[in-house]
Amino acid sequence: MAYEMDGEFATCSIDDFMSHYFAFVPDKNNVTRCIQKHLIPSGVASMNKSQLVLSEFTDTHFIANDILGKKNEMEVYAPLASIAKHIGNYVYQRQPGLAGPTPIRNKFNYRSVLQSSISSGTNESNQVDACFAFNQDNSFSAWGTAVPIEQKVNVNNEQRLDNMEKVLYANVQIMNDDVRRMFAYGMTFNADQVVLWYHCRSHSAVSQPFSFVKDPERLVQIFMFFLFATEEQLGYDPMVQRQVDGQYIFRIRHSNPTSNVADDSRFYRTVTILSGYRFNKISRRMPRVWTVERYNPTTGKAMPGALQVLKDVWLNHNAQSERQIQEAIFESINKFGDEKAPEHPDLKIIWEERRELIRSRDYQRLFLTIADDYDGERSKVIAPESRRIQGLFDPIRIYDQANHARRKSDVEQYYVPRKQYRVVFEEICLPIGSLPTLGDAMDVIQDIHIALQLMYCAGWVHRDISDGNILACKKEGSDSQPSKIWQAKLTDLEYARPFQRPDEAAADPKTGTPFFMPIEIFKQEYFYRKGLEQPEDDVDYIASRGRRRAVKAAKNDIVTHNFQHDLESVWWLILYLIVSRVFIQPLEYWEGRRILDVGKAERWISSVFQNLLLLSAERKRCFDLDSTIEQQIMGFTPNHLEGLVESLELSQTALMSFYLTRERKEQIYNHASYARAHINFGEFLESVQTLEPKTWRQYVLPLPDPIISTQTDTPADAAPETSAPQPSTHATIPPREYLFRPSKVKAKRKRGSEENPNRGAGGANKGANKRSRNGV
């Protein structure tokens, strides 16, 4: 976890940290008054030649040497609890120049809990030595812990790293488990050296260390802030309430132009979590999804009406919301269909086929219906004079001695602030991978292609097609209609943008879900190489599958995500649904036919579908004209799917031909050049529907006993359990089955700036090697 977050940390002086990341810094008058009226009379502090001395921490020599190996952390730092208690008894006086009301004592207390585990609703459990926590019923939980604290007596580098890792892991757990947390603080004690931590959705800040023995007034200031700050100032979202049963109430505030009341708020109470993906990185999109019911805070009861879906996510601060993007896409689609037919013959074919769908606006059923949404709080910008840290958790490097560039503009540009975004959808859907059968999934994909085709006609690229953002809900009255009962829904439009030439200084970063990422985006280079010729007749070229000689890529080719890349992602999704479900097919599906080769299947799937931004040779081979998908997977795939796999292979060859032809003719930015690829892909999906025998449609999709991933940043549009019958017996369900689940990631940009405001943030790299001292 710590190594996955490497580079997301910044450091600044302790003064800059407190002035920037604290809502207020207790002034000298209140600190002095607290010391004189509470700390000195109680005996926890004294004055020595006008210098404040903490009675149990007389000098650094005592901590570093005299007690080493004689006392544990609990014994050494136990006096901090008494210090905090007496600070908490102080009545804060009005601070001149302080905006807002005078701080009052909050509900949190300092607690010594040596190596106690933070309880939560999951199996995750991290240990800390102390904390500022809500002391109700003596609980120690993720939602009751305001500030985790880790302490060490020793001062060697290994102990320092262990301290840092544990407080980091504790805050990751807290921000994963408590939906209310917008940001979180932490403290680490290494002998007399104290470091403050601040974690938000855009970055993590680390203060330079200070000695609380030499500077006890500063420790009093810090404790005073943690004891007198409001819950909101400590990172708790005032728009979310946690109830005793663990459910949350969201307040969605928006302006209603038809009302005289400026604040027209609605309240939603969570019912069931649909997608609660956990993350190894604090500064990620953090999407979570629930079914919710309208809630009346006056009566404390649910309001009548159907359940809805609420999605909670963090976006780049200048990104458009899902509603804004959806409305812009609809406007562009309407313009395409309402105007006269395009001149280009291929575009005209699409226009004629989709004209009535557009003009009736019935196409909007292919997208989720937004009932409510809300732009919430923004994360803090990085503190002035901060500098980026890399190698913070390197056991050899001392972070505060690292020499890194201090250019303010570079640092601020790297750590882009984020904002909350909450959206309520009317429909409750299933993700495509949870539909009962492959036949159902292909029906939905056929409709999703229509949505993508309309986006193409409107000039928009989705840029993140995956199994998490292709959803389906049952059509009304579908129980009496056995065929095509699912209504497709395309969602997660946060990455979508109009297609245009990229900034000459920057290519598209590898944004999205690696399982379904197009090869050219992976490689950051186009398929076509200068000097490589292909026959003018694409049909002959497709049939020949001739070998291509390797030549050097053209220099300065800037790869940008285009309309055909969306189609390729759908192609990878179909392949993924096939191979990732071979383990759960009922025995009768294999009877009399090829039986699953478990080892071969595991090796192939794990080499092709990885949550890494590195293009494996096996994945590249899947999209290579020199080899065939049929040869690669039919050795472990039921014969029932042979016709589908053959069609998938022909589609891949056609896609490659379209890539090469367009790139050879330098038509990448010619909008009309993608029309034929879309028409061809639609024909491929139609041909699949005619395949005989129809046994391929019964291929089972829902995984048994679904679990919530602990490390993914998958677009969180999950759904309730499917009612599809589960097979009672399976050929085999290997323990590694759940490794083949996708995760969203985003590579750091190597060149240029983050010019696209609709780009989301990356996620945990599920397949990466991790190093940890506490098993996380």
Side-chain angles (χ1 to χ4, degrees), residues 387-438:
R387 57 190 176 90
R388 184 182 172 194
I389 309 171
Q390 289 182 295
L392 175 62
F393 291 90
D394 187 334
I396 299 176
R397 186 181 305 176
I398 305 296
Y399 79 92
D400 57 335
Q401 295 179 358
N403 183 22
H404 297 292
R406 288 175 173 263
R407 287 203 307 172
K408 183 178 179 181
S409 60
D410 289 347
V411 175
E412 289 179 345
Q413 190 176 61
Y414 186 84
Y415 300 105
V416 179
R418 304 192 186 281
K419 66 177 178 182
Q420 291 173 328
Y421 179 62
R422 287 163 184 155
V423 56
V424 179
F425 298 111
E426 291 185 2
E427 303 92 348
I428 299 179
C429 301
L430 289 170
I432 192 169
S434 295
L435 295 178
T437 67
L438 184 59

Side-chain angles (χ1 to χ4, degrees), residues 684-727:
F684 151 63
L685 294 174
E686 288 178 6
S687 69
V688 168
Q689 297 291 349
T690 65
L691 290 174
E692 297 289 348
K694 297 295 185 182
T695 49
W696 67 271
R697 292 187 61 89
Q698 305 310 313
Y699 196 71
V700 176
L701 290 187
L703 292 171
D705 302 320
I707 59 172
I708 293 179
S709 172
T710 60
Q711 300 171 13
T712 67
D713 190 15
T714 305
D717 294 298
E721 295 181 3
T722 176
S723 59
Q726 298 293 326

Side-chain angles (χ1 to χ4, degrees), residues 518 520-521 559-569 659:
E520 289 186 337
I521 300 298
V559 178
T560 187
H561 203 121
N562 61 47
F563 306 106
Q564 189 169 325
H565 290 144
D566 282 349
L567 299 181
E568 185 186 332
S569 292
Y659 276 130

Side-chain angles (χ1 to χ4, degrees), residues 611-636:
N611 286 307
L612 297 172
L613 287 173
L614 300 175
L615 179 63
S616 68
E618 291 78 7
R619 184 178 180 88
K620 181 177 179 295
R621 193 176 300 120
C622 288
F623 221 76
D624 196 323
L625 294 179
D626 293 342
S627 59
T628 70
I629 287 295
E630 183 179 9
Q631 292 173 346
Q632 295 180 56
I633 71 172
M634 285 309 297
F636 59 83

Side-chain angles (χ1 to χ4, degrees), residues 1 146 202 292 341 403 672:
M1 183 188 300
S202 61
V292 293
N403 183 22

Side-chain angles (χ1 to χ4, degrees), residues 262-306:
D263 179 15
D264 181 20
S265 296
R266 296 185 184 181
F267 295 83
Y268 296 89
R269 185 182 188 274
T270 61
V271 177
T272 305
I273 188 165
L274 301 181
S275 186
Y277 291 95
R278 305 179 65 76
F279 307 87
N280 278 352
K281 294 186 178 183
I282 290 176
S283 59
R284 299 302 90 185
R285 292 172 65 238
M286 304 290 288
R288 286 174 276 215
V289 183
W290 298 264
T291 55
V292 293
E293 56 190 0
R294 286 288 304 278
Y295 178 80
N296 187 328
T298 303
T299 63
K301 295 181 179 180
M303 299 170 61

